[in-house]
Amino acid sequence: MKKIIRKIITLIITLLCISFLTFSAFAIIPGDAAANKLGKEATAERIEQLREEMGLNDPLPVRYGRWLSGAVQGDFGESYRYDGRTVQSLIARRLPITVLLAGISLVIIIIVSVPLGILSARFSGRFVDIFSSQLTQVIMAVPSFFLGILMTYVFGLVLHWYQPGKFVSPDENLWASLQYLFFPALAIALPKIAMTMRFLRNSVLTEMRKDYVRTATSKGMDENRILYHHVLKNALIPVVTFVAMVVAEILAGSLVVEQVFSVPGVGILLISSISSRDYPVVQALVLYITSVVVILNFLVDVIYEALDPRVRV
C-alpha cells in the first residue's frame, strides 16, 4: 500500500512539473496571442488593451497559478480562436471520438495479435511462422497514411462500405459512428498488430527456452498447460509495456489517420490550434497527452506487480 501511495505522489509531482514546463514553453514562444487574435489591422492601443484583458501582462508565476487553479477544476479558459468557446467544451466534443477510436483499435490489436503471436511461437520455424513473419514485415513497412488512403479507396470508393468524409457523431448515431470509425481504427491497428505479434512471439520463445519449462516438460506436464498457465503469463510482462505505449499513442490523437479519414478528433484539434496560436487549447491538449502517458506508465507498474509478484520485492 505504501508503495502505491509513493507512486501516486510521484505521479502528482510529475504532472505538476509537466504542467509548469508546458505553460512556460508557450509563454516564451515568439508571437503575440492578442495581436494574432485581432489581426494585422489592429492598432497598438487595442492590442495592449486586449493583452491586459487576457492577463498576458501579468508575471509568469501569476499567470501559471491562475491557469493551474482553473485546470484543477477542469477550467482551461477560453479559446483564442473560437470566440466565446471554452477550451473544455472544444476538447469535450472531440475527446470521446478519439477515445472511441482508440478503444476500437485496441480491441482489434488484442484479438488479432495475441492469438497470432502465440500461434507463430508455437509453430516456430514452420510455414505458419515464416508466412506470418513475412506478412508482418510488409505491414510494418507500409506507412499509416498509405494504409488509410488504400482503405478509403477500396472500402469507401470501390465497395461503398462507408462514405469517405461523412463522419457521423456518436451523439447522433452511435452504430453509424462505430461503423465509420472501424476503418480508421483498422488503419491504426494493422502496423501495431504486426509489431505486437512479433513482440509476443519473441517473448514466448524466450520463455520456452528457460529452465522451468524444461523441468515442467520432463515431469510430463501437458504442452498446452505449460504454454497457457506458465509461459504466457511471463511472456506478457514485456508486451504490456509495448501495448501501453500503443494506447498512449492512439489516445494522443492519430494525426495522419484522423486527417485521411476526416475524423474530428483530438489530433486535428491540436494541429489546428498550434497553427492558429490558440495557446489555451494547445496547453490543455499537451497536458492531456502527457497525463495519459504518465498515468498509463503508472497502471503498467500496477499490472506488472499483478503478473509477476517478484516485482513487489
Side-chain angles (χ1 to χ4, degrees):
M1 188 64 181
K2 291 182 179 180
K3 188 175 181 181
I4 297 294
I5 294 175
R6 286 199 301 268
K7 287 181 179 294
I8 293 174
I9 293 173
T10 304
L11 174 67
I12 295 172
I13 294 174
T14 303
L15 290 176
L16 285 173
C17 293
I18 290 171
S19 68
F20 178 74
L21 292 174
T22 300
F23 188 88
S24 301
F26 286 103
I28 63 176
I29 288 177
D32 193 324
N36 186 68
K37 184 176 182 179
L38 292 173
K40 297 180 180 179
E41 298 180 358
T43 63
E45 292 78 10
R46 180 69 185 99
I47 292 175
E48 185 61 27
Q49 180 185 356
L50 184 58
R51 284 183 58 85
E52 192 66 32
E53 293 174 359
M54 296 168 69
L56 298 177
N57 291 331
D58 294 337
L60 178 62
V62 174
R63 283 185 284 155
Y64 172 70
R66 185 167 56 230
W67 177 80
L68 181 62
S69 176
V72 171
Q73 304 174 51
D75 181 11
F76 293 93
E78 291 190 359
S79 167
Y80 292 168
R81 180 184 180 187
Y82 303 96
D83 291 332
R85 297 287 301 276
T86 63
V87 176
Q88 183 181 11
S89 66
L90 289 172
I91 296 177
R93 183 180 177 184
R94 296 176 181 252
L95 185 57
I97 298 172
T98 297
V99 172
L100 193 58
L101 179 61
I104 298 172
S105 302
L106 181 60
V107 169
I108 296 173
I109 291 170
I110 292 176
I111 64 176
V112 176
S113 63
V114 172
L116 289 180
I118 296 172
L119 187 67
S120 182
R122 190 169 183 179
F123 297 98
S124 176
R126 302 182 188 178
F127 174 77
V128 173
D129 182 36
I130 295 173
F131 176 76
S132 62
S133 296
Q134 295 298 322
L135 184 61
T136 54
Q137 286 182 353
V138 172
I139 294 175
M140 286 190 293
V142 179
S144 294
F145 76 90
F146 182 76
L147 281 175
I149 294 172
L150 186 62
M151 288 183 182
T152 300
Y153 176 75
V154 174
F155 298 113
L157 301 179
V158 177
L159 299 177
H160 302 289
W161 287 4
Y162 79 103
Q163 289 184 311
K166 299 292 184 179
F167 175 75
V168 180
S169 173
D171 297 333
E172 298 176 10
N173 189 325
L174 180 59
W175 176 244
S177 182
L178 290 173
Q179 286 179 308
Y180 188 96
L181 288 175
F182 174 78
F183 298 99
L186 187 60
I188 294 171
L190 280 176
K192 306 298 187 294
I193 288 172
M195 289 186 282
T196 306
M197 176 184 165
R198 290 180 65 86
F199 209 93
L200 180 58
R201 171 192 177 275
N202 294 336
S203 184
V204 169
L205 289 177
T206 300
E207 290 295 323
M208 291 293 289
R209 299 188 187 100
K210 291 187 176 179
D211 292 337
Y212 74 91
V213 175
R214 286 193 289 268
T215 301
T217 303
S218 65
K219 290 182 178 180
M221 187 176 292
D222 182 67
E223 183 179 350
N224 288 330
R225 182 175 177 81
I226 296 173
L227 176 61
Y228 293 107
H229 286 78
H230 301 284
V231 172
L232 188 58
K233 185 177 180 179
N234 294 328
L236 283 175
I237 294 175
V239 177
V240 167
T241 303
F242 177 75
V243 173
M245 292 170 57
V246 169
V247 174
E249 179 185 343
I250 301 172
L251 285 173
S254 301
L255 308 181
V256 175
V257 173
E258 285 184 5
Q259 289 179 339
V260 170
F261 287 91
S262 299
V263 177
V266 168
I268 290 182
L269 178 62
L270 178 60
I271 294 299
S272 62
S273 299
I274 291 174
S275 62
S276 61
R277 294 183 181 274
D278 196 350
Y279 294 150
V281 176
V282 177
Q283 288 167 345
L285 287 176
V286 171
L287 182 61
Y288 155 72
I289 292 170
T290 52
S291 298
V292 167
V293 174
V294 172
I295 291 172
L296 281 175
N297 285 332
F298 169 76
L299 293 177
V300 166
D301 289 341
V302 175
I303 295 173
Y304 268 3
E305 294 188 3
L307 290 176
D308 190 353
R310 294 172 298 178
V311 178
R312 304 172 194 167
V313 180

